[in-house]
Amino acid sequence: MSGETKNLSPQDMAVTFGLLAVGLSVLLLGAKYFVEGMAALAKAFGMSPLIVGMTVVAFGTSTPELVINALSAYRGETALAFGNIVGSSTLNIGFVLAVTALIRPLKVEPSLITREIPMLCVAVGALLILGSDLRLGGAGPDLFTRGDGLILLLLFGIFVYYTAILSIVKNKLTGVSADPFMVKVTEKATRQPRKALGRQTIAAVLGLIAVSLGASWTVDGATGVARLIGMSENLIGLTIVSFGTTLPELVTCIVAARRGNAEIALGNVVGSNLFNILAVGGVVSTIQPVAVPAGGHLDLLFMAFLSAVLLPVAIRSGLTITRTEGAFLLVVYLLYMGWRLAGT
């Protein structure tokens, strides 16, 4: 434990936990409308289910992480932000993807093997290197500086360009997709009633506002819980906040798998992790330099392990993530988290 449990009145405890619960509820509801609105707008431009899952849905379901962590960094609570970024990324693979595969084995699209998962491994490798100043002979502490944040944002821009923008631009100009999983844009695909597009835009904007409010309340509640039970902010971010902000990914993946849209489920997990590491990590580090907290290097290494294991898991069994492989990922994740919590 990082501190002693505080003796608070039942009323104070109820307010603290209530604020966390209300914040997460508003956060998830806002994310739902934001994702639905943005996904509808993306499909109006002829984006395929895989690309929608990899970009719009993945980024939309990661909006809670972005807002929460940006707010935490602004308030100087960088340990909470670090724990949430790493915790959400490990949770996506070790729990969300694992549970989804247990429900229904997931077919893997070839582009995930040749492009997106290798991009994820590069992103995780960059995070490990940038957060290991002392281990690489640096004079200062292990710290994600503003310069490191800009490097992560640059890598994120490269990912978005090659995943979506390049394909969309070439598709519109030539009618031939640069990506085999992009659908050809036709008048029927892009023609949407103005009222429908207006409703989708309003839903996305209102959802984003709700996400922002919910994030503020969630941060207040999470830090209050940390102080209440004597747990470090890093561990709170790694567990409670990460699970709460990852619920959109979990619900999206389960629904997609049950409906037979495995490409959305897998794209959502990989895209969310890339967004968390590069975009959220970059924004947070740019707002406020983030020190690697105690135990943070172990969490980074575990995230790297899950990301590296994801590639052979996706390749074997005929490009299918089976229930057995899903069970393996889940057991590994639960064992690590159990060990991590026991060590506090």
Side-chain angles (χ1 to χ4, degrees):
M1 292 288 184
S2 62
E4 298 298 328
T5 302
K6 292 187 176 181
N7 294 321
L8 297 180
S9 66
Q11 292 81 2
D12 291 334
M13 294 176 63
V15 169
T16 300
F17 283 98
L19 185 63
L20 179 60
V22 172
L24 282 173
S25 299
V26 174
L27 193 68
L28 298 178
L29 184 63
K32 173 180 180 294
Y33 285 106
F34 179 73
V35 169
E36 290 177 351
M38 291 301 295
L41 291 173
K43 289 178 182 178
F45 289 95
M47 295 178 70
S48 70
L50 177 63
I51 300 299
V52 170
M54 183 67 64
T55 55
V56 177
V57 176
F59 301 168
T61 55
S62 295
T63 302
E65 285 94 336
L66 175 61
V67 181
I68 279 182
N69 293 321
L71 185 60
S72 297
Y74 178 76
R75 295 179 177 181
E77 296 160 347
T78 56
L80 179 65
F82 177 90
N84 187 223
I85 292 170
V86 177
S88 295
S89 299
T90 55
L91 193 69
N92 274 336
I93 298 176
F95 187 80
V96 174
L97 183 63
V99 169
T100 306
L102 285 173
I103 294 173
R104 174 175 292 184
L106 303 175
K107 293 294 293 182
V108 182
E109 298 289 359
S111 79
L112 287 167
I113 302 296
T114 60
R115 188 177 60 195
E116 280 79 33
I117 295 179
M119 282 184 179
L120 176 59
C121 292
V122 169
V124 172
L127 201 66
L128 273 172
I129 292 171
L130 295 175
S132 302
D133 300 293
L134 282 177
R135 287 160 178 77
L136 296 176
D142 291 330
L143 186 72
F144 293 100
T145 65
R146 288 186 171 90
D148 295 337
L150 293 176
I151 291 173
L152 293 176
L153 290 174
L154 177 62
L155 291 174
F156 177 69
I158 294 172
F159 161 70
V160 172
Y161 177 76
Y162 280 104
T163 302
I165 295 177
L166 182 63
S167 296
I168 293 172
V169 170
K170 186 173 181 179
N171 198 11
K172 282 182 172 292
L173 291 177
T174 66
V176 178
S177 177
D179 189 311
F181 301 104
M182 286 290 295
V183 298
K184 183 177 180 180
V185 177
T186 63
E187 289 186 13
K188 184 177 181 181
T190 57
R191 187 177 297 161
Q192 296 284 337
R194 289 186 177 181
K195 288 184 178 180
L197 289 176
R199 286 195 299 269
Q200 293 154 1
T201 302
I202 291 172
V205 171
L206 291 178
L208 186 59
I209 293 172
V211 164
S212 301
L213 289 174
S216 177
W217 297 334
T218 300
V219 170
D220 291 340
T223 53
V225 169
R227 298 186 183 101
L228 177 65
I229 65 178
M231 185 181 288
S232 69
E233 289 182 359
N234 174 40
L235 206 53
I236 285 289
L238 193 69
T239 54
I240 297 175
V241 180
S242 292
F243 183 78
T245 56
T246 305
L247 283 176
E249 283 92 338
L250 179 61
V251 174
T252 299
C253 288
I254 290 176
V255 171
R258 291 178 65 87
R259 293 178 178 176
N261 296 321
E263 65 271 27
I264 290 182
L266 286 174
N268 187 25
V269 167
V270 176
S272 293
N273 277 15
L274 280 163
F275 187 86
N276 284 336
I277 294 168
L278 299 178
V280 179
V283 168
V284 168
S285 301
T286 303
I287 294 172
Q288 184 85 255
V290 178
V292 178
H297 285 101
L298 289 174
D299 299 329
L300 283 172
L301 288 172
F302 182 64
M303 180 180 66
F305 168 75
L306 286 181
S307 301
V309 165
L310 186 58
L311 189 58
V313 164
I315 292 174
R316 66 187 301 275
S317 303
L319 294 183
T320 302
I321 299 179
T322 64
R323 288 188 172 91
T324 300
E325 291 163 342
F328 165 76
L329 292 173
L330 182 61
V331 169
V332 169
Y333 173 78
L334 292 177
L335 286 174
Y336 176 79
M337 292 308 302
W339 172 78
R340 191 75 170 81
L341 290 170
T344 62

